[in-house]
Short mmCIF file of all heavy atoms in Angstrom, two decimals:
data_model
loop_
_atom_site.label_atom_id
_atom_site.label_comp_id
_atom_site.label_asym_id
_atom_site.label_seq_id
_atom_site.Cartn_x
_atom_site.Cartn_y
_atom_site.Cartn_z
N THR A 621 156.20 63.12 161.90
CA THR A 621 157.51 62.83 162.47
C THR A 621 157.70 63.57 163.77
O THR A 621 157.12 64.64 163.98
CB THR A 621 158.64 63.21 161.49
OG1 THR A 621 159.90 63.01 162.12
CG2 THR A 621 158.51 64.65 161.03
N ARG A 622 158.53 63.00 164.63
CA ARG A 622 158.87 63.64 165.90
C ARG A 622 160.17 64.42 165.80
O ARG A 622 160.69 64.90 166.79
CB ARG A 622 159.00 62.57 167.00
CG ARG A 622 157.71 61.85 167.30
CD ARG A 622 157.97 60.70 168.27
NE ARG A 622 158.62 61.15 169.50
CZ ARG A 622 159.04 60.33 170.45
NH1 ARG A 622 158.89 59.02 170.30
NH2 ARG A 622 159.62 60.80 171.53
N ALA A 623 160.72 64.54 164.59
CA ALA A 623 162.01 65.19 164.43
C ALA A 623 161.94 66.66 164.85
O ALA A 623 160.97 67.36 164.57
CB ALA A 623 162.47 65.10 162.97
N ALA A 624 163.01 67.12 165.53
CA ALA A 624 163.07 68.51 165.95
C ALA A 624 163.63 69.40 164.85
O ALA A 624 163.43 70.61 164.86
CB ALA A 624 163.95 68.63 167.20
N ASN A 625 164.35 68.81 163.88
CA ASN A 625 164.96 69.60 162.82
C ASN A 625 163.90 70.21 161.91
O ASN A 625 162.87 69.60 161.64
CB ASN A 625 165.89 68.73 161.97
CG ASN A 625 167.12 68.28 162.73
OD1 ASN A 625 167.49 68.90 163.71
ND2 ASN A 625 167.72 67.21 162.28
N VAL A 626 164.18 71.42 161.45
CA VAL A 626 163.30 72.09 160.49
C VAL A 626 163.85 71.84 159.10
O VAL A 626 165.01 72.15 158.82
CB VAL A 626 163.24 73.60 160.77
CG1 VAL A 626 162.38 74.29 159.72
CG2 VAL A 626 162.69 73.85 162.17
N ASN A 627 163.04 71.26 158.21
CA ASN A 627 163.44 71.05 156.82
C ASN A 627 162.73 72.10 155.97
O ASN A 627 161.52 72.04 155.78
CB ASN A 627 163.05 69.65 156.36
CG ASN A 627 163.90 68.58 156.99
OD1 ASN A 627 164.94 68.22 156.48
ND2 ASN A 627 163.46 68.08 158.13
N VAL A 628 163.48 73.07 155.51
CA VAL A 628 162.88 74.16 154.73
C VAL A 628 162.98 73.79 153.26
O VAL A 628 163.87 74.23 152.53
CB VAL A 628 163.56 75.50 155.03
CG1 VAL A 628 162.79 76.64 154.38
CG2 VAL A 628 163.65 75.73 156.53
N VAL A 629 162.06 72.95 152.84
CA VAL A 629 162.03 72.44 151.47
C VAL A 629 160.58 72.22 151.06
O VAL A 629 159.72 71.92 151.90
CB VAL A 629 162.84 71.12 151.35
CG1 VAL A 629 162.23 70.03 152.23
CG2 VAL A 629 162.93 70.65 149.90
N GLU A 630 160.31 72.38 149.80
CA GLU A 630 159.00 72.02 149.24
C GLU A 630 159.24 71.42 147.87
O GLU A 630 160.33 71.56 147.30
CB GLU A 630 158.08 73.24 149.13
CG GLU A 630 158.58 74.27 148.14
CD GLU A 630 157.51 75.30 147.77
OE1 GLU A 630 156.33 75.07 148.09
OE2 GLU A 630 157.87 76.31 147.13
N GLY A 631 158.22 70.74 147.35
CA GLY A 631 158.43 70.18 146.03
C GLY A 631 157.28 69.33 145.54
O GLY A 631 156.19 69.30 146.13
N PHE A 632 157.55 68.61 144.46
CA PHE A 632 156.57 67.73 143.83
C PHE A 632 157.10 66.30 143.83
O PHE A 632 158.28 66.06 143.56
CB PHE A 632 156.31 68.16 142.39
CG PHE A 632 155.83 69.57 142.25
CD1 PHE A 632 156.44 70.45 141.35
CD2 PHE A 632 154.77 70.04 143.00
CE1 PHE A 632 156.00 71.75 141.22
CE2 PHE A 632 154.32 71.34 142.88
CZ PHE A 632 154.94 72.21 141.98
N TYR A 633 156.22 65.38 144.13
CA TYR A 633 156.50 63.95 144.13
C TYR A 633 155.87 63.39 142.86
O TYR A 633 154.66 63.49 142.66
CB TYR A 633 155.90 63.33 145.39
CG TYR A 633 155.87 61.83 145.48
CD1 TYR A 633 156.87 61.14 146.16
CD2 TYR A 633 154.81 61.09 144.94
CE1 TYR A 633 156.81 59.75 146.29
CE2 TYR A 633 154.76 59.72 145.06
CZ TYR A 633 155.77 59.05 145.74
OH TYR A 633 155.71 57.69 145.86
N VAL A 634 156.71 62.82 141.99
CA VAL A 634 156.25 62.44 140.64
C VAL A 634 156.52 60.96 140.38
O VAL A 634 157.63 60.58 140.00
CB VAL A 634 156.96 63.29 139.57
CG1 VAL A 634 156.36 63.03 138.19
CG2 VAL A 634 156.92 64.77 139.91
N PRO A 635 155.53 60.07 140.59
CA PRO A 635 155.70 58.67 140.21
C PRO A 635 155.64 58.53 138.69
O PRO A 635 154.65 58.90 138.06
CB PRO A 635 154.53 57.97 140.89
CG PRO A 635 153.52 59.04 141.15
CD PRO A 635 154.23 60.35 141.22
N ILE A 636 156.72 58.05 138.10
CA ILE A 636 156.86 58.05 136.65
C ILE A 636 155.72 57.32 135.96
O ILE A 636 155.18 57.77 134.95
CB ILE A 636 158.20 57.42 136.24
CG1 ILE A 636 159.37 58.20 136.85
CG2 ILE A 636 158.34 57.38 134.72
CD1 ILE A 636 159.44 59.62 136.41
N SER A 637 155.33 56.18 136.52
CA SER A 637 154.32 55.35 135.85
C SER A 637 152.95 56.01 135.82
O SER A 637 152.07 55.58 135.05
CB SER A 637 154.22 53.99 136.55
OG SER A 637 153.83 54.15 137.90
N SER A 638 152.73 57.06 136.62
CA SER A 638 151.43 57.72 136.67
C SER A 638 151.32 58.94 135.78
O SER A 638 150.24 59.52 135.65
CB SER A 638 151.10 58.13 138.12
OG SER A 638 150.99 57.00 138.95
N LEU A 639 152.44 59.35 135.17
CA LEU A 639 152.42 60.60 134.42
C LEU A 639 151.45 60.57 133.25
O LEU A 639 150.81 61.57 132.94
CB LEU A 639 153.83 60.91 133.90
CG LEU A 639 154.83 61.38 134.97
CD1 LEU A 639 156.21 61.54 134.36
CD2 LEU A 639 154.37 62.68 135.60
N SER A 640 151.33 59.44 132.59
CA SER A 640 150.45 59.36 131.43
C SER A 640 148.98 59.47 131.80
O SER A 640 148.13 59.66 130.93
CB SER A 640 150.69 58.04 130.69
OG SER A 640 150.41 56.94 131.53
N LYS A 641 148.64 59.38 133.09
CA LYS A 641 147.25 59.44 133.53
C LYS A 641 146.79 60.87 133.81
O LYS A 641 145.62 61.10 134.12
CB LYS A 641 147.08 58.60 134.81
CG LYS A 641 147.44 57.14 134.61
CD LYS A 641 147.38 56.38 135.93
CE LYS A 641 147.84 54.94 135.76
NZ LYS A 641 147.85 54.21 137.05
N LEU A 642 147.70 61.83 133.71
CA LEU A 642 147.31 63.22 133.95
C LEU A 642 146.42 63.73 132.84
O LEU A 642 146.48 63.23 131.71
CB LEU A 642 148.55 64.09 134.07
CG LEU A 642 149.39 63.88 135.33
CD1 LEU A 642 150.66 64.70 135.25
CD2 LEU A 642 148.60 64.25 136.56
N PRO A 643 145.61 64.74 133.11
CA PRO A 643 144.69 65.25 132.09
C PRO A 643 145.44 65.84 130.90
O PRO A 643 146.55 66.35 131.03
CB PRO A 643 143.89 66.32 132.84
CG PRO A 643 144.73 66.68 134.01
CD PRO A 643 145.45 65.43 134.39
N ALA A 644 144.80 65.79 129.75
CA ALA A 644 145.39 66.35 128.53
C ALA A 644 145.42 67.87 128.61
O ALA A 644 144.69 68.48 129.38
CB ALA A 644 144.59 65.90 127.31
N SER A 645 146.27 68.46 127.81
CA SER A 645 146.41 69.91 127.80
C SER A 645 145.12 70.59 127.35
O SER A 645 144.40 70.08 126.49
CB SER A 645 147.56 70.31 126.88
OG SER A 645 147.67 71.70 126.80
N SER A 646 144.83 71.73 127.97
CA SER A 646 143.66 72.52 127.61
C SER A 646 144.10 73.80 126.90
O SER A 646 145.17 74.32 127.17
CB SER A 646 142.85 72.87 128.86
OG SER A 646 141.87 73.81 128.57
N THR A 647 143.28 74.28 125.99
CA THR A 647 143.61 75.53 125.28
C THR A 647 142.86 76.72 125.86
O THR A 647 143.00 77.82 125.39
CB THR A 647 143.26 75.39 123.79
OG1 THR A 647 141.87 75.06 123.66
CG2 THR A 647 144.10 74.31 123.13
N SER A 648 142.06 76.49 126.87
CA SER A 648 141.29 77.56 127.48
C SER A 648 142.19 78.44 128.36
O SER A 648 143.03 77.93 129.10
CB SER A 648 140.16 76.97 128.34
OG SER A 648 139.58 77.97 129.13
N ASP A 649 142.00 79.77 128.27
CA ASP A 649 142.78 80.67 129.11
C ASP A 649 142.51 80.41 130.59
O ASP A 649 143.39 80.58 131.43
CB ASP A 649 142.45 82.12 128.78
CG ASP A 649 142.96 82.53 127.41
OD1 ASP A 649 143.88 81.84 126.91
OD2 ASP A 649 142.44 83.52 126.85
N ASP A 650 141.27 79.99 130.92
CA ASP A 650 140.92 79.72 132.30
C ASP A 650 141.65 78.49 132.83
O ASP A 650 141.73 78.29 134.04
CB ASP A 650 139.41 79.51 132.44
CG ASP A 650 138.64 80.80 132.14
OD1 ASP A 650 139.24 81.88 132.26
OD2 ASP A 650 137.45 80.69 131.76
#
């Protein structure tokens, strides 16, 4: 963007339909 404004924000973008494709939980401490 060419915007001069500073947006001091961060976050996560979460498409709902893709959530089930994430890896299963691991029990390893690592």
